Amino acid sequence: MRSDTTQQDLYRDDPRRLAQQWRAAAEASAQQFPSDTARRDYYLAEADRLEAAA
């Protein structure tokens, strides 16, 4: 059977795990682009949104 990734998986798409990934991306963004706070704020806002949904 073909794996179709258009449907959400309860384990793969866990909001808490996705929020951790967004927070890690925010940290990496802060290191790579120190003057771009809008990017970091966007990543943190997405992490907060996902944590609120969990």
Side-chain angles (χ1 to χ4, degrees), residues 19-34 36-47:
Q20 289 174 347
Q21 290 175 346
W22 278 98
R23 290 203 184 279
E27 291 176 20
S29 172
Q31 291 175 355
Q32 291 177 352
F33 309 105
D36 190 3
T37 58
R39 181 189 308 241
R40 185 182 67 77
D41 292 344
Y42 171 74
Y43 291 152
L44 292 175
E46 283 297 311

